[in-house]
Amino acid sequence: MPNGFLLSRALLNFQTDSEDLLAELSAVTRTPDGNLWLGSDEFITIERLSPMGDGVYGNHKTFHLKDFIKLFDHESEIDIEGLDYCNGYLWVVGSHSLKRSQAKGKKQHKDIERLTEIESDPNRSLLARLPVLSGEIVPTYARSKGENGTLTAASLKQVNGHNVLLEALAEDEHLGLFLKMQLPSKDNGFDVEGLAVNGNQIFLGLRGPVLRGWAIILEIEVEDGEPGELVLKDLGNGCLYRKHFLDLNGQGIRELCLHDGDLLVLAGPTMELEGAMQMFRLEDVLEHTNDTLWSQDSGQLKVLFDLPFTIGSDHAEGLVLVPCMGYDNSLMVVYDSPDDSRRPDPKAVFADIFRLPPKG
């Protein structure tokens, strides 16, 4: 499979030279006004960049999530892994994962001990929506005449130090054991890294676990509960979620993006593995009423292109559709651990824009 056709690059200019932000971008989306919204692994904030012309984005502004929704605490990281925009709302999801301490390479006995330590950041169990008005995140606003209802910030109901989704999955026949074993994300544990939203219908792509080569997308619907709170909607017969299994050549899911009723799926290595990453298209995803399993022989799941591969850098993490060079829907990709060649100065980084192959 050939590499994707690179149409252009976008220059993302920030007001900070923070390596924790620029070197760990993990999610991106775009609002109809052209603003880009970005998240980082290490932060509990959302970053906005505005189009400045000629493929440059700037006018950086930071929004602190604690100002709009209830977090578990104000210290632990969210590990933002997905952003999407739909019907006036910016949606954000954390990884929902556990983490194992890393060896530091100084003292062997200390490193061996560190590898026994598993940590939990409660804020990672976040799924939230944030109203966006005139380029600003706001707690609430009443829609204009002709549009029904009021938009309000809210997050998935918290329970037992996590949320109701993890509570519902605790007894799942495929995922429950991984949660009970408390496997960290980099050990093929539970790890959300993709988000795509259609109204209140939400698709969550899992980097892990990958089950005998099959990656998993969770599908849920949410509805309003108490003020500022979202709950899981019953999808029928007490079912609170659906599972969709995909043959992504043994890879996990690193991001999702809806396009004309299809899901664009960014697939890449799970755990700590290094390897090439691929774009897939899963067709007609909005109307399923059961769990599904999609092989590449099904005709519904297709490889679109490979992403350029560099060992140790340029890990594709975020996807968003943007207009570029006459194409209405080109695919912007932002990278974690960007190669030095993407950093023209300490406060800026380049994103790639690929031509999206036509369907069929």
Side-chain angles (χ1 to χ4, degrees):
M1 182 62 58
N3 284 346
F5 186 87
L6 185 65
L7 279 176
S8 185
R9 283 188 166 138
L11 181 61
L12 312 182
N13 281 319
F14 294 84
Q15 299 287 345
T16 175
D17 59 2
S18 168
E19 283 296 303
D20 285 341
L21 175 59
L22 276 79
E24 300 197 32
L25 293 175
S26 55
V28 62
T29 193
R30 180 178 179 270
T31 42
D33 56 13
N35 285 322
L36 293 182
W37 304 80
L38 300 107
S40 169
D41 288 344
E42 303 293 333
F43 281 60
I44 53 176
T45 60
I46 300 292
E47 317 300 323
R48 187 204 69 201
L49 296 178
S50 300
M52 312 299 288
D54 295 328
V56 177
Y57 290 82
N59 190 27
H60 176 207
K61 183 170 182 178
T62 295
F63 297 86
H64 293 267
L65 288 172
K66 64 181 176 59
D67 295 338
F68 308 99
I69 53 174
K70 179 184 177 183
L71 299 176
F72 288 87
D73 58 61
H74 291 169
E75 290 79 39
S76 64
E77 66 179 27
I78 294 172
D79 195 21
I80 294 170
E81 293 292 356
L83 291 170
D84 202 3
Y85 174 82
C86 185
N87 297 341
Y89 283 121
L90 183 70
W91 290 82
V92 57
V93 69
S95 67
H96 287 65
S97 67
L98 300 173
K99 60 183 178 182
R100 189 180 298 277
S101 295
Q102 296 186 42
K104 292 186 174 180
K106 295 180 180 178
K107 296 181 179 179
Q108 282 196 6
H109 71 282
K110 288 286 187 183
D111 281 344
I112 291 170
E113 183 179 335
R114 285 177 62 81
L115 289 174
T116 69
E117 299 169 356
I118 296 174
E119 303 173 45
S120 171
D121 287 321
N123 281 336
R124 290 185 172 211
S125 299
L126 178 76
L127 174 63
R129 69 180 191 204
L130 307 162
V132 177
L133 178 65
S134 301
E136 302 285 326
I137 297 176
V138 296
T140 183
Y141 78 89
R143 298 192 195 216
S144 59
K145 208 170 208 181
E147 296 180 308
N148 295 324
T150 298
L151 300 185
T152 58
S155 58
L156 198 57
K157 183 177 179 180
Q158 299 176 2
V159 56
N160 297 328
H162 50 238
N163 62 29
V164 291
L165 174 59
L166 291 179
E167 198 80 356
L169 292 170
E171 300 301 323
D172 182 79
E173 59 189 348
H174 295 104
L175 298 171
L177 185 60
F178 288 88
L179 294 170
K180 289 177 181 177
M181 290 173 66
Q182 296 192 315
L183 275 180
S185 57
K186 299 303 187 289
D187 298 353
N188 201 35
F190 189 86
D191 188 9
V192 175
E193 286 214 6
L195 172 68
V197 181
N198 175 54
N200 288 322
Q201 182 181 22
I202 299 170
F203 296 92
L204 301 171
L206 303 187
R207 179 174 179 171
V210 173
L211 304 183
R212 194 60 188 265
W214 294 89
I216 303 170
I217 293 174
L218 295 174
E219 178 189 346
I220 61 174
E221 291 189 39
V222 296
E223 55 191 3
D224 288 288
E226 297 295 323
E229 196 173 80
L230 299 171
V231 296
L232 296 176
K233 181 180 178 180
D234 188 337
L235 303 179
N237 299 317
C239 174
L240 297 177
Y241 58 89
R242 299 187 186 103
K243 293 171 289 187
H244 305 292
F245 297 85
L246 287 71
D247 171 16
L248 304 178
N249 297 323
Q251 301 172 106
I253 295 167
R254 306 297 284 269
E255 187 56 291
L256 300 173
C257 184
L258 275 168
H259 177 237
D260 291 342
D262 301 335
L263 267 179
L264 303 178
V265 181
L266 173 62
T270 189
M271 301 189 289
E272 286 277 25
L273 297 171
E274 289 277 343
M277 305 183 73
Q278 293 182 299
M279 286 300 312
F280 289 77
R281 183 194 297 274
L282 179 62
E283 298 181 353
D284 305 325
V285 299
L286 299 180
E287 305 302 328
H288 297 302
T289 57
N290 297 296
D291 294 349
T292 63
L293 184 145
W294 301 104
S295 71
Q296 292 179 40
D297 295 331
S298 67
Q300 298 290 105
L301 178 64
K302 300 172 183 176
V303 183
L304 297 181
F305 57 83
D306 294 344
L307 288 166
F309 173 48
T310 305
I311 292 178
S313 65
D314 280 357
H315 300 144
E317 289 277 344
L319 298 179
V320 65
L321 295 169
V322 298
C324 181
M325 299 181 70
Y327 293 91
D328 291 335
N329 290 308
S330 303
L331 199 59
M332 178 184 286
V333 179
V334 299
Y335 297 88
D336 189 356
S337 304
D339 188 79
D340 288 344
S341 62
R342 292 189 181 277
R343 300 288 300 274
D345 65 64
K347 296 184 180 181
V349 64
F350 281 107
D352 288 341
I353 303 176
F354 294 96
R355 185 180 66 196
L356 188 62
K359 186 174 178 178

